[in-house]
Amino acid sequence: MISLKNQPGGSSPGRQQAVAEPSSSRVVPKPVPQSQAQDPRRYQIEQIRRRYSPKESNAPHGSTSFVFKLTPSDPDFPFELDHLLCDLRVPQDYPEERPTLLVKNKDIPRGFGINIERGWDKLAEEKPGATLLALTRELDKHLEEFLSEKKTETVKLVNFKDTRHLTAQGAIESKPVDEPLEPPKPALEPLRYVPEPSYSKEQIATAKARRATEVRQLEARMGRTPLYRRSPDGIVYTLPIEPKRRSELPHGLQSVASIHLIIPLLYPLQNLRLQLNEAEPEDAEPLEDLFSEKAAEQQQMTLMSHLNYLAQNMHKLAKQAQEKTQARIQAAKASAQAAALTSQVVEEHDDGKEKALDDKSHIKVIPRPPEWSLVYGDDDSSDEGTDPEDELGGGVALGVETPEITPAPVVSEPVEKGTMMSFPSIELHGIEIIQVSILSISVKCDRCKTVNDVGGLKPDTEKVLSCKKCATVMAVKFRAQLVHEHSSRAGFLDLSGGKVADMLPSTFVPTCARCSTQSHGLVSVRGETVTNVCRDCHAKFTFKIPEVKFFVITPGSLPPPATGPRRKQEKLGLHAGEPLPGKGACQHYRKSYRWFRFSCCSKVHPCDKCHDDAEDHINEWANRMICGWCSREQNYAVEACGYCGRSVIGRKGKGFWEGGKGTRDQRMMSRKDPRKYKRIGTSQAAKKE
């Protein structure tokens, strides 16, 4: 054991570590996250968002305001203060510029609020490398100290009513009338009173129901994102946004990472508004106004549709907003120039009148119209572009440069032609939209009226097929559309050589109404109810198609030309209902009452041996036949005709050569079969010879 007594040659053991101080070369700084090193402002702001859930807004000079409540953490805090209402202003150039703090508490005298704000500035000066979250913690520690300081003296400013303009007006009225008066300046038009629109109870109820549905969808879709915030009153939503072409945005909008979406309580009766965070006001305000105008025009779009449109077309909207702003500035300049020229012309005209009265000359000087200077600019403009039609009152101003206004993007809809397919009474429960991804239909041939099945039709892909009876070439193309509660139109079919008869089991892709997630393909047919669960939010949805209707808008085009020369059809001279010659039997098979159409040459022969005798090639399997009793062509059947029902192999169930019931093997024949022992002696005698 180790002795606890003092050793003779040394000192008594203490509680200090045996390891000496580490060398300075082994000391490393605390690791800094990569996101903080790349963008410290965004990283520290995200810390404030996660810690306090502040209310964000744009402050003057490009800074961002964060309003939150700071509750004192000291359990023995001596002052009766539930929380400190802080307004943290983070400048655009942070951390180069220091953040500022404003105290918003109304129950705290302004002098003590100034003490807290000065204390914050002192903390920020003493600790320049500290984060925003660290500064708020230091403020919490020193809050009692700041409130214990002497109250700063403040001054209250009071505004008094100014009546000097009344005195000046009386002095103007007392002036003599003989003095020439200056031309009156154009008075500003008073603002017109616009009464607030009134809505009925049904409109308000419908608007509230739609707002609740779209807000629920918005929260389900965007609620899991890190930048998502919702105001306590449920009107302002902070949402992340990623523009499609950020590099094409103006310099003041390239740092946009989130937006404030303001959804009024009576949306969509009241207009939707938008605020861009971390953006320059001169670039953001025109874009916000233009977005509000677009949202007011497209009221049928949902909130998620507006967000997707903004993310995809922000660069276009910014360009349109800049052009509108420039056009407004140019119009204001033009009006100012026109007013100045008009006043100058009036003065010159008055001087000309005085001179004319003195000289009474027969020469009259006509002043140059002001609009010539506005349109053509210099006097060097030539008249080469004049047209005699314009002189006759064409009504077109030459040389006027109209600003090019980029039209708003219009969603192109499929052209209404061909055959429209619709589901009039479709039932959608928990489904926002549904689309046909793979369509299967039955097409009726225009020539022989035979129904052919066509499957695997994908949108905007043409499929060519031939009739299974008359080999007529047909073509089908499907143009799909989205089906929702306000539209039952599923798409259009462009057909040639046939008409649509019915819809077969097809594949549908529904979109969840709760989270807007597309489901996998589900196979359904008319009259069948399909129920499934969303893969993302696990919500249950159901759809049913009670009926399918086809409406021919324009007739189908001519069938496409067949590849290669068309074969000549045989003229057999047959009439439906009359029997074939010899009832279809031949010298080879006397109890086979039918003719066969062989697939190798599409010609008709009573049997395979007759085919080999007449043709110069080997026969292939026959997939069609002609009944010997009614002369009707049909698909191959084993025993009976599909039209008249009579047997084509003699007595039903007693077939010998055909039908699969008989056999040629004498060992397998029944003893009651007379062919079992027929010609046995003859064959043996022939073998002996």
Side-chain angles (χ1 to χ4, degrees), residues 208-247:
K208 289 184 176 180
R210 178 179 172 183
R211 184 185 187 276
T213 303
E214 296 187 7
V215 165
R216 195 182 310 114
Q217 177 185 355
L218 179 68
E219 292 177 350
R221 186 69 179 272
M222 309 294 293
R224 301 178 184 178
T225 55
L227 299 179
Y228 172 80
R229 295 291 183 276
R230 178 179 178 272
S231 62
D233 54 2
I235 296 179
V236 182
Y237 286 82
T238 304
L239 305 171
I241 190 169
E242 183 62 32
K244 183 178 180 181
R245 299 181 181 178
R246 187 181 293 271
S247 60

Side-chain angles (χ1 to χ4, degrees), residues 11-43:
S11 60
S12 60
R15 293 182 178 272
Q16 297 181 356
Q17 295 183 1
V19 181
E21 291 293 332
S23 62
S24 59
S25 61
R26 297 176 61 88
V27 178
V28 295
K30 183 179 179 181
V32 179
Q34 184 179 3
S35 57
Q36 182 179 2
Q38 293 178 353
D39 193 352
R41 183 178 187 273
R42 181 175 296 183
Y43 180 82

Side-chain angles (χ1 to χ4, degrees), residues 16 124 134 169 234 295 321 346 480 506 634:
Q16 297 181 356
Q169 184 177 2
V346 170
S506 305
Q634 58 195 283

Side-chain angles (χ1 to χ4, degrees), residues 393-628:
V396 180
L398 295 177
V400 179
E401 297 181 358
T402 57
E404 297 181 359
I405 300 177
T406 306
V410 181
V411 180
S412 60
E413 296 184 355
V415 182
E416 294 187 358
K417 67 176 183 178
T419 303
M420 182 183 71
M421 182 177 67
S422 62
F423 309 140
S425 304
I426 187 171
E427 300 175 6
L428 301 176
H429 303 283
I431 295 177
E432 182 180 12
I433 54 176
I434 190 171
Q435 184 180 13
V436 182
S437 60
I438 301 177
L439 179 64
S440 299
I441 57 175
S442 55
V443 181
K444 191 174 185 180
C445 179
D446 286 341
R447 184 184 181 197
C448 62
K449 310 303 179 185
T450 303
V451 178
N452 301 267
D453 296 342
V454 183
L457 283 175
K458 296 183 179 180
D460 300 327
T461 303
E462 187 176 11
K463 190 170 185 179
V464 181
L465 69 153
S466 59
C467 178
K468 60 184 179 181
K469 181 178 180 181
C470 63
T472 300
V473 180
M474 296 181 290
V476 185
K477 184 179 180 181
F478 177 54
R479 293 180 286 116
Q481 278 192 305
L482 299 177
V483 181
H484 48 87
E485 59 180 353
H486 301 295
S487 175
S488 61
R489 186 166 54 187
F492 296 89
L493 289 163
D494 299 331
L495 296 101
S496 60
K499 297 179 181 178
V500 186
D502 197 3
M503 185 186 75
L504 303 177
S506 305
T507 304
F508 297 83
V509 178
T511 301
C512 179
R514 183 176 179 182
C515 63
S516 300
T517 302
Q518 285 190 352
S519 174
H520 57 278
L522 302 175
V523 180
S524 179
V525 73
R526 178 176 53 186
E528 181 180 355
T529 303
V530 179
T531 303
N532 210 318
V533 177
C534 178
R535 297 176 295 176
D536 192 7
C537 65
H538 307 289
K540 185 179 179 182
F541 59 83
T542 306
F543 70 92
K544 181 181 179 182
I545 304 175
E547 58 177 334
V548 182
K549 286 190 176 181
F550 298 96
F551 178 70
V552 180
I553 299 177
T554 57
S557 59
L558 296 176
T563 57
R566 189 173 181 179
R567 295 179 179 177
K568 295 182 178 180
Q569 297 290 336
E570 292 183 283
K571 296 182 179 180
L572 303 177
L574 305 179
H575 301 281
E578 298 180 0
L580 296 175
K583 298 180 182 178
C586 65
Q587 59 181 351
H588 304 102
Y589 305 102
R590 295 185 179 180
K591 293 187 178 182
S592 176
Y593 305 123
R594 55 184 166 183
W595 288 352
F596 297 93
R597 186 178 293 278
F598 291 86
S599 59
C600 54
C601 56
S602 298
K603 292 185 178 181
V604 176
H605 296 282
C607 66
D608 54 348
K609 295 183 179 180
C610 296
H611 173 277
D612 294 341
D613 294 341
E615 304 296 336
D616 56 353
H617 58 273
I618 302 175
N619 68 84
E620 295 181 5
W621 183 259
N623 52 8
R624 298 186 65 81
M625 71 176 188
I626 301 176
C627 177

